[in-house]
């Protein structure tokens, strides 16, 4: 599919579009993607405009920055104010609002905050700055968690005593279960994240079909990948069946990546975690095992954190549950913009509100 000529791509896209129209005729369907990369790709390629009006694509909790709760941000900000601490973080965390500040504001006021591109780079900062307690903000899903686990293993082997991790890693399948169990978000099928699935494989999603009779398709990220995945979901709905399918089989093996999963299991254990908009979800987080707790920032560096407050009128929670389109939020495109975000969904490039603002409804409401 990726090696097609432009003419071949057009013909294939036209075929999927016709079949989606035919199979969905007379039905109103809601399909949810739970990956920020899918969200952006759908907007950039104009897939919504290709689909019939009665087939709605909604975004779920697929952006790790977006689902990170204020309490975590407040904790990171509190650590950044300590003179003997260096914060290392991915760049998209800088502008995420906490209860009263952001990491970007703290950096401007003199806090030692460094942008890194991997957890291993954070470990390098620790090795080069032995007088600092270097804390890596470990935010992400199953895709990035193995690299943080690898950094902890390397720090342990090197006996690096000033490297710490503030973990906010989360697991996608428990969040999907929570969405369905709540009965709040009506979804006819899930476009499942290709990157996450390349790590965990297919088995963790089987409950979608076996327990909830909801179709799921692991989808790639090219426009044709997504169109084909939508077609596969609607085919299942039309046939009144529900199963787990893998459109992205060229990248995602059924068993995922056993080596990455082994590193995760060695360093982390499942634990309850708080998700923005979804609350506390059992077994949806990853906490550091006792053997490696010397690298757990919360257990080793005392900190007092301010009382957590949510931004008034911010609707990120409802957006993340697929209950509200960004354009329906009173702040969207007005008080809340990428250069001045009120909520986390407007910060990350993969955030639903940021994607709507850049590629979609934001153009019409400014």
């Amino acid at each position: 599919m990726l090696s097609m000529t432009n003419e071949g791509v057009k013909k294939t896209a036209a075929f999927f579009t016709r079949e989606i129209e035919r199979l969905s005729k007379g039905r109103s369907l809601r399909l949810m993607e739970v990956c920020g990369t899918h969200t952006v790709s759908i907007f950039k390629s104009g897939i919504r405009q290709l689909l019939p009006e009665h087939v709605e694509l909604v975004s779920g909790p697929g952006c790790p920055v977006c689902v990170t709760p204020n309490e975590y941000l407040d904790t990171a900000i509190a650590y950044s104010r300590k003179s003997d601490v260096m914060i290392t973080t991915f760049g998209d965390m800088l502008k995420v609002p906490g209860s009263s500040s952001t990491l970007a504001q703290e950096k401007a006021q003199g806090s030692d905050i460094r942008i890194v591109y991997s957890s291993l780079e954070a470990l390098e900062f620790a090795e080069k700055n032995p007088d600092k307690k270097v804390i890596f903000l470990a935010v992400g899903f199953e895709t990035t968690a193995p690299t943080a686990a690898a950094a902890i293993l390397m720090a342990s082997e090197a006996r690096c005593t000033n490297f710490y991790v503030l973990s906010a890693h989360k697991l996608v399948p428990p969040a999907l279960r929570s969405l369905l169990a709540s009965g709040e978000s009506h979804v006819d099928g899930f476009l499942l994240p290709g990157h996450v699935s390349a790590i965990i494989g297919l088995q963790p999603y089987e409950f979608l079909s076996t327990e909830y009779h909801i179709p799921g398709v692991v989808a790639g990220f090219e426009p044709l990948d997504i169109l084909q995945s939508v077609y596969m979901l609607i085919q299942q709905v039309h046939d009144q069946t529900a199963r787990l399918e893998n459109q992205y089989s060229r990248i995602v093996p059924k068993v995922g990546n056993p080596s990455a999963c082994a590193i995760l299991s060695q360093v982390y254990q499942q634990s309850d975690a708080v998700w923005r908009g979804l609350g506390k979800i059992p077994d949806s987080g990853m906490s550091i095992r006792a053997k490696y707790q010397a690298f757990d920032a919360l257990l080793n560096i005392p900190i007092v954190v301010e009382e957590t407050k949510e931004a008034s009128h911010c609707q990120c929670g409802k957006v993340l549950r697929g209950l509200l389109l960004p354009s329906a939020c009173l702040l969207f495109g007005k008080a809340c913009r990428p250069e001045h975000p009120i909520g986390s969904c407007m910060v990350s490039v993969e955030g639903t509100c940021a994607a709507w603002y850049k590629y979609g409804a934001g153009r019409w409401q400014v």
Side-chain angles (χ1 to χ4, degrees), residues 105-157:
Q105 290 172 332
E106 298 302 319
K107 183 176 174 64
Q109 292 172 12
S111 291
D112 193 353
I113 300 173
R114 313 293 180 95
I115 295 174
V116 297
Y117 294 94
S118 75
S119 54
L120 300 183
E121 188 178 353
L123 179 57
E124 290 179 7
F125 272 115
E127 293 170 339
K128 294 176 181 178
N129 297 272
D131 58 324
K132 288 277 193 174
K133 295 170 182 164
V134 177
I135 301 176
F136 174 63
L137 304 187
V139 173
F141 295 140
E142 296 92 334
T143 314
T144 57
T147 62
I152 289 174
L153 291 175
M154 292 176 66
S156 178
E157 184 177 349

Side-chain angles (χ1 to χ4, degrees), residues 24-44:
S24 64
K25 192 172 183 179
R27 301 172 182 264
S28 293
L29 300 176
R30 295 182 88 239
L31 308 178
M32 177 178 281
E33 88 269 358
V34 282
C35 173
T37 309
H38 282 153
T39 301
V40 173
S41 182
I42 287 167
F43 268 112
K44 288 180 70 174

Side-chain angles (χ1 to χ4, degrees), residues 86-98:
M86 176 192 296
I87 296 292
T88 54
T89 178
F90 298 133
D92 53 3
M93 289 295 293
L94 284 183
K95 292 177 66 177
V96 181

Side-chain angles (χ1 to χ4, degrees), residues 224-297:
L224 281 185
D225 288 329
I226 297 173
L227 266 182
Q228 183 181 18
S229 298
V230 170
Y231 159 71
M232 293 165 71
L233 286 174
I234 292 178
Q235 180 75 66
Q236 290 191 51
V237 174
H238 177 269
D239 295 342
Q240 297 185 325
T241 187
R243 59 185 179 272
L244 177 63
E245 294 187 289
N246 185 11
Q247 184 276 337
Y248 205 30
S249 58
R250 67 181 185 272
I251 297 296
V252 177
K254 184 176 181 179
V255 298
N257 186 327
S259 297
C261 289
I263 291 175
L264 277 179
S265 180
Q266 181 179 351
V267 175
Y268 290 107
Q269 59 189 4
Q270 283 186 249
S271 59
D272 298 349
V274 176
W275 294 56
R276 186 187 299 273
L278 283 78
K280 181 180 286 188
I281 302 176
D283 293 329
S284 66
M286 288 178 259
S287 58
I288 299 173
R289 291 186 181 275
K291 181 178 179 180
Y292 300 102
Q293 283 182 348
F295 302 100
D296 190 324

